[in-house]
Amino acid sequence: MSSNQMKLERVELLRLEMPLVSPFRTSFGVQTARDVLLVVAHTTDGAVGYGECVALAEPVYSEEYVDGAAHVLEHYLVPAVLACEDLTAARVAELTEGFVGHRMAKAALELAVLDAELRQAGMSLAAYLGGTRERVPVGVSVGITDTIGQLVETVQRYREQGYGRIKLKIEPGFDLEPVRAVREAVGPDVPLQVDGNTAYRAADLAHVAKLDDLGLLLIEQPFEHDAIALHAELARRCRTPICLDESITSAAATARAILAGACSIVNLKAARMGGYLEARRAHDVAQALDTPVWCGGMLETGLGRAANLALAALPGFALPGDISASARYYAEDLTEPFIMVDGQIEVPRGPGLGLTVREDVLGSVLTERREIRA
Ligand code: SMG
Ligand code: MG
């Protein structure tokens, strides 16, 4: 075996129930706690790596959901990788490509193997991916509220905490009016963007295009994931850049969406495209097509956020990410808490994800543990 090749001895699948500090409502539902699935890879040399699976409890953001991810990992993906005698993270995608879809589950397994590999090699994930920055600009994603007054109050609270860029979740019936109210409250200079999470349909085109008057940084994924031509038509009708999230399922999909004129900015989420290695390729494609990217979020714990910070250190990440401080999500994070200073968060530099799991916190939120052996 060459130096970075490994063999896995066992893989643990941990389920955690992490209460959120406040409910987070989007067009597809309300999250009050994060049902987290952690993949822990143990190599025969004693290296340990962590991968957080970002699938939500229900299949509402994409077709994946956490019980389904745990099942496909236990019965298909983990056995395929456990059988490999000369494993590297770069081989995980090829070992699991016979199983269709399940990109978030595959991404978590690849990340666990990659973390183990990099901890063994003493290299940070940011360095491995080609990150060039020590800290990255971040923003906050603000959920839908019952009243416009509550939304304005919430935004002002985040502004006081130092968040420079604000993203507002929208849905039919909660869009032009609340966004206009926030724009008036914060003034013309605060970077504001919106995210429709696929809640709009073709008949809403003219209505969605009215967002163009609100001085937004971008409009994220108003239409369904496969509505490429429709997003391209919206882009023709707006000066505001259109950004895609749910549509971007691979590096190839990134190229297709950009070349079709459906987006001029890309929300990169590694898990949605099967892992950090594919996300790196999508970043390179976007750069080749002169298209800025930014790092999306899935309410990750500190472990998943560490990986996102490493990705966001790459040069093409030109806009602030949905990577907020730990306190925006969890009273007790799984890792040392991430703190925001001057609207930025530091990229971890230690080997692998660069952070340690707080075993006391893990113990208090753990709901299930399974072990799969070679
Ligand atoms: O991690 O700060 C975060 C959340 C960012 O809004 C966010 N994510 O569509 O971009 C998106 C949503 C998806 C997850 S909603 C639970
Ligand atoms: Mg989004």
Side-chain angles (χ1 to χ4, degrees):
M1 286 200 287
S2 82
S3 62
N4 67 334
Q5 291 180 342
M6 310 170 293
K7 164 107 180 91
L8 293 187
E9 177 196 79
R10 59 196 174 93
V11 171
E12 290 176 281
L13 299 179
L14 308 181
R15 284 288 281 274
L16 323 175
E17 179 78 4
M18 300 267 298
L20 288 164
V21 291
S22 54
F24 185 57
R25 182 169 151 207
T26 66
S27 61
F28 55 70
V30 188
Q31 320 285 313
T32 53
R34 197 70 176 89
D35 185 347
V36 178
L37 171 62
L38 279 190
V39 178
V40 190
H42 297 264
T43 73
T44 51
D45 291 335
V48 181
Y50 293 86
E52 178 170 347
C53 180
V54 307
L56 299 180
E58 296 171 331
V60 286
Y61 166 83
S62 70
E63 67 276 42
E64 290 189 79
Y65 62 105
V66 67
D67 283 337
H71 187 277
V72 78
L73 277 159
E74 178 174 351
H75 296 283
Y76 300 98
L77 307 179
V78 170
V81 169
L82 274 174
C84 182
E85 300 287 333
D86 49 2
L87 182 65
T88 61
R91 290 204 63 194
V92 172
E94 143 204 345
L95 290 166
T96 58
E97 76 184 348
F99 304 112
V100 178
H102 297 284
R103 291 183 299 272
M104 291 175 177
K106 289 175 179 173
L109 179 56
E110 182 191 82
L111 184 57
V113 173
L114 183 53
D115 186 33
E117 182 177 325
L118 294 175
R119 284 185 202 254
Q120 188 97 308
M123 180 189 264
S124 72
L125 179 60
Y128 175 86
L129 293 172
T132 52
R133 276 180 283 207
E134 288 183 3
R135 48 188 62 77
V136 298
V138 301
V140 63
S141 176
V142 184
I144 292 166
T145 50
D146 289 336
T147 67
I148 292 179
Q150 283 167 5
L151 182 68
V152 171
E153 234 171 74
T154 307
V155 167
Q156 269 159 346
R157 199 153 17 86
Y158 284 129
R159 293 281 302 146
E160 283 157 20
Q161 289 168 22
Y163 286 100
R165 176 286 251 167
I166 307 284
K167 160 164 144 180
L168 303 176
K169 291 291 190 177
I170 57 169
E171 66 181 0
F174 190 88
D175 45 36
L176 299 173
E177 233 193 302
V179 177
R180 197 173 293 124
V182 170
R183 174 51 84 210
E184 275 161 20
V186 299
D189 298 330
V190 171
L192 263 191
Q193 60 192 64
V194 296
D195 186 359
N197 282 112
T198 73
Y200 295 85
R201 296 295 170 264
D204 303 317
L205 182 61
H207 179 76
V208 174
K210 289 187 188 146
L211 289 163
D212 201 26
D213 298 330
L214 299 172
L216 300 174
L217 199 58
L218 59 89
I219 300 170
E220 181 178 344
Q221 196 81 41
F223 305 116
E224 291 157 288
H225 74 97
D226 55 355
I228 296 300
L230 188 55
H231 283 105
E233 179 56 23
L234 178 64
R236 279 189 287 276
R237 294 181 184 206
C238 293
R239 284 157 300 154
T240 311
I242 307 305
C243 170
L244 291 179
D245 172 357
E246 283 87 337
S247 301
I248 305 296
T249 52
S250 63
T254 306
R256 272 199 300 277
I258 295 168
L259 294 171
C263 65
S264 55
I265 296 178
V266 176
N267 170 330
L268 275 196
K269 270 182 199 164
R272 194 192 52 220
M273 48 184 100
Y276 285 82
L277 304 184
E278 183 69 3
R280 162 84 230 219
R281 291 188 282 271
H283 161 274
D284 296 351
V285 164
Q287 273 219 308
L289 296 171
D290 300 317
T291 303
V293 304
W294 55 281
C295 186
M298 292 294 288
L299 307 173
E300 287 89 348
T301 74
L303 283 175
R305 218 134 2 97
N308 286 343
L309 285 161
L311 182 66
L314 289 168
F317 284 76
L319 296 162
D322 279 347
I323 314 172
S324 307
S326 290
R328 180 255 175 269
Y329 308 97
Y330 304 107
E332 294 282 2
D333 208 337
L334 261 194
T335 59
E336 307 92 280
F338 283 105
I339 294 165
M340 180 180 59
V341 178
D342 296 332
Q344 301 190 313
I345 299 183
E346 225 174 288
V347 177
R349 298 157 210 232
L353 295 176
L355 292 177
T356 49
V357 173
R358 293 165 67 192
E359 293 295 337
D360 56 328
V361 177
L362 181 67
S364 70
V365 294
L366 187 68
T367 58
E368 198 186 326
R369 183 178 165 281
R370 268 170 201 267
E371 188 173 271
I372 310 148
R373 287 183 166 266

